[in-house]
């Protein structure tokens, strides 16, 4: 069965001229910015914020704070069935690839792949499966096999020829810390990742990413106000250079400042014991316009899209493949 799954990768630049494709989840961070009357100004402002944050973190040999710029590619992963992968392709995953431009030396370096993580199947799991499973239940719980299919598909993608041909390192995904959990500051501090936080109780998202073969660490970078969650495989601090890590921090912290300003653009920094709060009132807004309520509503629509066009039509094939893959 593993030979019957074919992964194909497409890439498009994320710049001020970016327009989302028909297969892109419109709630995805980068796609959400590229819609509406303010689309080009949104994109310019977001890209400028990323470059400014990168230079602030990569401050050595950078006296004017303008040595580097970050280029972003949107990586779209399609999955098709059949011996030659000729069946209908489904838009499985979208991630971001960072590239670093050193304007002093005129060199261009690969950054990190992953960063943002977008998945129709994850929408299905969290917006369709979980609500249905917990309907009329006195206490919230998670099904035993929750996330198994999604996790196996992701791990199969990382082992695929398509991934190996395009990327030299494993992905790092960076998202917001969970507002339902409490984080404690540790004594561990990294030059660019900043202060490490830990929590004793993993969130449903942490458990979901574990099914994808990823572990999590939480760091609050220098001059940040809240820890970010970094999901990775291997050694987060040893497998990537400082500039690679900075490319992820600058990109994803910018998105979080835009989408969760109550947490990541707050006017005071997280303390020794910290719980993120989306109802926090003491924060600043960026010059980027977006609609968070629309994002929440559309996540349900996108989950139902995955159910209709992927889960139900291929259920027997997917169940059999996932069971064999896990074995």
């Amino acid at each position: 069965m593993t030979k019957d799954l074919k992964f194909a990768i497409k890439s498009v630049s994320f710049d001020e001229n970016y327009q989302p494709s028909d297969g892109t989840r419109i709630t995805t961070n980068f796609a959400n910015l590229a819609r509406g009357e303010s689309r080009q100004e949104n994109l310019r402002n977001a890209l400028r914020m990323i470059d400014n944050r990168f230079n602030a973190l990569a401050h050595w040999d950078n006296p004017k704070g303008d040595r580097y710029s970050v280029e972003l590619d949107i990586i779209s992963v399609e999955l098709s069935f059949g011996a030659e992968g000729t069946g209908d392709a489904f838009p499985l995953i979208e991630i971001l690839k960072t590239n670093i431009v050193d304007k002093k030396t005129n060199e261009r370096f690969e950054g990190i792949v992953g960063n943002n993580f977008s998945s129709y199947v994850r929408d299905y799991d969290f917006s369709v499966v979980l609500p249905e499973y917990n309907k009329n239940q006195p206490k919230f719980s998670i099904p035993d096999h929750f996330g198994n299919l999604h996790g196996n598909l992701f791990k199969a993608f990382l082992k695929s020829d398509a991934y190996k041909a395009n990327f030299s390192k494993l992905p790092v995904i960076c998202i917001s810390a969970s507002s339902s959990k409490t984080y404690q500051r540790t004594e561990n501090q990294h030059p660019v990742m900043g202060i490490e936080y830990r929590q004793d109780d993993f969130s449903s998202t942490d458990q979901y990413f574990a099914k994808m073969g990823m572990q999590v660490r939480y760091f609050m970078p220098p001059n940040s106000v809240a820890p970010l969650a970094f999901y990775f495989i291997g050694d987060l601090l040893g497998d990537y250079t400082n500039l690679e890590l900075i490319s992820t921090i600058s990109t994803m912290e910018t998105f979080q400042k835009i989408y969760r300003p109550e947490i990541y653009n707050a006017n005071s920094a997280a303390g020794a014991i910290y719980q993120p709060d989306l109802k926090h009132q003491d924060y600043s807004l960026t010059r980027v316009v977006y609609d968070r309520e629309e994002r929440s509503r559309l996540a349900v629509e996108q989950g139902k899209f995955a159910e209709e066009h992927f889960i139900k039509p291929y259920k027997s094939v997917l169940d059999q493949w996932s069971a064999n893959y896990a074995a």
Side-chain angles (χ1 to χ4, degrees):
M1 290 294 295
T2 54
K3 294 181 180 179
D4 294 335
L5 265 64
K6 300 293 180 182
F7 297 96
I9 291 174
K10 297 178 180 178
S11 176
V12 62
S13 294
F14 178 68
D15 55 28
E16 66 180 55
N17 299 311
Y18 166 69
Q19 304 227 18
S21 69
D22 291 338
T24 293
R25 285 169 68 254
I26 51 178
T27 61
T28 300
N29 287 337
F30 42 80
N32 188 270
L33 293 183
R35 299 166 61 222
E37 295 180 1
S38 303
R39 59 171 304 280
Q40 197 161 56
E41 186 178 358
N42 279 348
L43 294 170
R44 285 175 182 162
N45 287 336
L47 294 168
R48 189 178 301 114
M49 288 171 64
I50 291 170
D51 282 353
N52 289 342
R53 185 62 171 129
F54 189 103
N55 282 290
L57 288 168
H59 51 78
W60 59 93
D61 292 336
N62 189 6
K64 294 183 179 179
D66 61 356
R67 176 171 176 171
Y68 300 100
S69 65
V70 179
E71 294 179 352
L72 297 171
D73 293 322
I74 299 168
I75 307 299
S76 301
V77 183
E78 293 184 342
L79 174 65
S80 56
F81 298 94
E84 302 300 326
T86 54
D88 291 338
F90 182 77
L92 188 67
I93 294 167
E94 275 191 324
I95 49 182
L96 281 177
K97 170 75 184 303
T98 61
N99 299 288
I100 304 155
V101 178
D102 186 336
K103 292 182 281 188
K104 180 179 178 180
T105 63
N106 292 320
E107 292 178 282
R108 187 174 184 273
F109 307 97
E110 277 192 80
I112 287 178
V113 65
N115 301 287
N116 190 87
F117 181 72
S118 173
S119 164
Y120 275 110
V121 178
R122 185 174 66 166
D123 283 341
Y124 165 73
D125 281 338
F126 278 94
S127 299
V128 177
V129 174
L130 269 188
E132 288 183 358
Y133 183 78
N134 284 282
K135 188 181 293 183
N136 300 323
Q137 297 300 313
K139 185 178 179 181
F140 179 85
S141 62
I142 296 174
D144 290 339
H145 300 293
F146 183 72
N148 284 6
L149 171 62
H150 182 271
N152 289 336
L153 288 170
F154 183 77
K155 288 186 281 190
F157 168 58
L158 297 189
K159 292 180 179 178
S160 70
D161 292 338
Y163 188 90
K164 294 174 183 176
N166 284 275
F167 311 113
S168 59
K169 293 186 178 183
L170 290 168
V172 175
I173 296 165
C174 177
I175 65 173
S176 170
S178 172
S179 58
S180 66
K181 303 300 176 184
T182 299
Y183 301 83
Q184 295 193 359
R185 184 190 297 162
T186 73
E187 296 299 317
N188 190 38
Q189 189 164 352
H190 184 271
V192 299
M193 296 290 284
I195 300 168
E196 183 164 20
Y197 278 73
R198 289 199 181 125
Q199 59 152 317
D200 295 329
D201 184 21
F202 287 118
S203 68
S204 57
T205 299
D206 296 336
Q207 295 171 35
Y208 196 77
F209 275 91
K211 296 283 183 79
M212 297 159 59
M214 308 189 88
Q215 54 187 310
V216 63
R217 293 177 75 172
Y218 309 91
F219 285 92
M220 185 167 74
N223 298 315
S224 297
V225 296
L228 292 157
F230 295 86
Y231 295 89
F232 61 96
I233 301 164
D235 183 354
L236 177 63
L237 304 185
D239 292 343
Y240 307 93
T241 68
N242 282 347
L243 290 182
E244 288 171 345
L245 293 171
I246 290 172
S247 72
T248 286
I249 294 168
S250 60
T251 299
M252 297 313 299
E253 189 180 79
T254 293
F255 283 136
Q256 295 300 347
K257 283 183 177 180
I258 294 167
Y259 292 114
R260 292 196 162 187
E262 300 92 338
I263 298 173
Y264 290 97
N265 217 28
N267 294 326
S268 57
I273 299 175
Y274 176 68
Q275 182 172 0
D277 183 3
L278 285 170
K279 295 180 180 178
H280 181 69
Q281 295 297 310
D282 185 21
Y283 64 93
S284 300
L285 291 172
T286 66
R287 295 178 60 192
V288 180
V289 181
Y290 82 105
D291 186 337
R292 184 155 65 193
E293 289 185 8
E294 182 192 51
R295 287 185 91 218
S296 300
R297 176 176 53 81
L298 289 174
V300 177
E301 295 179 15
Q302 289 164 172
K304 292 178 178 177
F305 172 87
E307 181 180 37
E308 180 182 349
H309 295 279
F310 184 66
I311 300 297
K312 285 184 175 179
Y314 300 106
K315 188 176 189 312
S316 60
V317 174
L318 291 169
D319 287 348
Q320 182 183 349
W321 174 84
S322 188
N324 290 339
Y325 188 87

